[in-house]
């Protein structure tokens, strides 16, 4: 499912936000790695930076989750255009045709004759 064209600006924003959140997550991971290796006197500043970055990441992820939920609602509410309705009708017709063919072949089989392709 895709968002309608009117949702394009929101998709662009979502892609930008995703990249930013990914970068922020890498920064958090980098600070965590550094905290394990840093001397004791440097850890206080790193812990404060880690707490701030983690808070930003959590807030960003929460906002991104809300954006994803809103996009899902938009996709669910979007009505298909005439082409989608026509495609559904053609698929239904093709399915009905195949069901009829299968029933005819089954009837021929029970009539006792071999079925040959022509």
């Amino acid at each position: 499912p895709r968002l309608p064209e009117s949702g394009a600006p929101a998709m662009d924003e979502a892609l930008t936000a995703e990249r930013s959140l990914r970068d922020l997550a890498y920064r958090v991971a980098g600070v965590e790695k550094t905290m394990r290796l840093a001397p004791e006197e440097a850890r206080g500043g790193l812990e404060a930076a880690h707490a701030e970055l983690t808070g930003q990441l959590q807030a960003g992820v929460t906002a991104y989750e809300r954006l994803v939920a809103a996009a899902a609602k938009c996709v669910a509410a979007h009505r298909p255009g005439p082409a989608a309705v026509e495609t559904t009708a053609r698929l239904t017709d093709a399915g009905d045709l195949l069901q009829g063919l299968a029933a005819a072949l089954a009837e021929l089989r029970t009539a006792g004759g071999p079925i040959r392709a022509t």
Side-chain angles (χ1 to χ4, degrees):
R2 300 184 135 249
L3 282 174
E5 284 185 36
S6 58
M11 280 300 296
D12 292 341
E13 196 63 40
L15 292 172
T16 300
E18 179 189 5
R19 284 190 293 274
S20 295
L21 287 172
R22 199 174 296 272
D23 289 345
L24 186 54
Y26 286 130
R27 288 175 58 199
V28 169
V31 171
E32 287 173 352
K33 204 179 279 189
T34 303
M35 285 171 50
R36 288 192 298 267
L37 303 172
E40 188 67 36
E41 63 274 3
R43 288 192 185 142
L46 288 172
E47 288 172 355
H50 180 262
E52 182 178 335
L53 290 172
T54 302
Q56 291 173 7
L57 181 60
Q58 288 172 340
V61 168
T62 299
Y64 189 79
E65 288 171 342
R66 283 195 303 268
L67 176 71
V68 169
K73 286 180 183 178
C74 185
V75 168
H78 180 68
R79 294 180 187 258
V85 173
E86 183 180 319
T87 299
T88 301
R90 288 194 345 245
L91 288 171
T92 301
D93 290 345
D96 291 345
L97 179 66
L98 288 174
Q99 290 287 350
L101 179 61
L105 290 172
E107 189 175 318
L108 286 174
R109 184 173 314 191
T110 58
I115 300 174
R116 294 187 195 134
T118 57

